[in-house]
Amino acid sequence: GGIGLVLTPTLSLVLPPSVVLAMIAPLMNLSDPLALRYYWRQWDRRQLGILLPSMLAGVVLGTWALSQLSEYWLGKSIGAAALGFGLLQLVLTGRNQRLLSARPHWGAGAAAGVTAGVASTVAHSGGVVVTMYLVNVHLTKTAMLATGNALYVLPNVLKLAGYWSIGFLTWPIIAAAALAVPWLVAGAWLGYRVNQRLPRRAFELTLVLIALAGAVRLLLRS
């Protein structure tokens, strides 16, 4: 859930925000099948059934919002989204809080899905919302990971179509994303090695602080 929160505001400091959104999307689609393979059919069907339709609706809503924003305001929106979700993640991680009951009303899941869909489309930050929701419904670790991975497959495909329809995704950007694939594989290997040595809390804190720094820079940039 942290990759978009970190990568989107950071890359938006050196590339146009629309290019950043479009470039990250194909890489996320390439990584989805790899993650899904390890957790096949271990997801929570009830939560997946609630979250998936509402998240797809959120992607459509987020795509419409992007089509209405200028490059300047798109950068500000990404910064604001990353800052808000980063601060919330920081607070909840520090307090080890749970906000919901073990079996919340379906409306809470639907709201989380729509919010995640919009955040995912505007700033690739929907994973933060999904993670916070799934942690709070008291799933097992395996079920939480499986549900989160399965949840993103269709919305990420829909995001690609949405970015293409509003002119964000182009063939040169697809080619640039393809060139980044070896680095994606290298990053996966490096992440696995780092994960074995770095305490998880320190790793999460590092990601959140990088995201917050990038978000603040985006908001302050004229």
Side-chain angles (χ1 to χ4, degrees), residues 37-58:
R37 173 176 173 267
Y38 290 105
Y39 298 101
W40 184 250
R41 293 187 178 180
Q42 298 182 68
W43 47 73
D44 185 283
R45 292 185 179 181
R46 179 177 184 271
Q47 296 302 333
L48 189 61
I50 294 172
L51 289 166
L52 182 56
S54 56
M55 191 168 175
L56 290 171

Side-chain angles (χ1 to χ4, degrees), residues 24-187:
I24 294 175
L27 297 176
M28 287 186 165
N29 277 268
L30 289 172
S31 66
D32 284 339
L34 299 175
L36 191 62
R37 173 176 173 267
Y38 290 105
Y39 298 101
W40 184 250
R41 293 187 178 180
Q42 298 182 68
W43 47 73
D44 185 283
R45 292 185 179 181
R46 179 177 184 271
Q47 296 302 333
L48 189 61
I50 294 172
L51 289 166
L52 182 56
S54 56
M55 191 168 175
L56 290 171
V59 170
V60 173
L61 181 60
T63 302
W64 173 83
L66 288 179
S67 70
Q68 306 300 310
L69 295 173
S70 66
E71 200 77 40
Y72 174 82
W73 286 110
L74 177 56
K76 299 300 182 185
S77 299
I78 290 172
L83 181 63
F85 290 124
L87 288 174
L88 186 57
Q89 179 79 4
L90 193 62
V91 171
L92 293 179
T93 299
R95 296 182 178 181
N96 196 26
Q97 284 182 310
R98 289 183 174 180
L99 304 179
L100 305 171
S101 64
R103 192 175 175 84
H105 189 271
W106 66 268
V114 171
T115 304
V118 173
S120 179
T121 307
V122 173
H124 291 309
S125 299
V128 177
V129 181
V130 170
T131 299
M132 288 190 298
Y133 174 79
L134 292 179
V135 165
N136 280 283
V137 296
H138 303 255
L139 299 179
T140 66
K141 183 179 180 180
T142 299
M144 185 177 73
L145 291 171
T147 305
N149 287 324
L151 180 63
Y152 266 91
V153 176
L154 291 179
N156 279 344
V157 173
L158 185 59
K159 278 163 56 177
L160 276 181
Y163 290 156
W164 184 272
S165 70
I166 61 177
F168 281 18
L169 187 63
T170 62
W171 286 114
I173 292 177
I174 292 175
L179 291 174
V181 169
W183 298 104
L184 179 70
V185 176

Side-chain angles (χ1 to χ4, degrees), residues 9 13 76 79-80 82-83 210-221:
L13 296 174
K76 299 300 182 185
L83 181 63
I210 292 172
L212 291 176
V216 170
R217 287 273 304 190
L218 273 178
L219 290 172
L220 295 178
R221 188 170 65 176

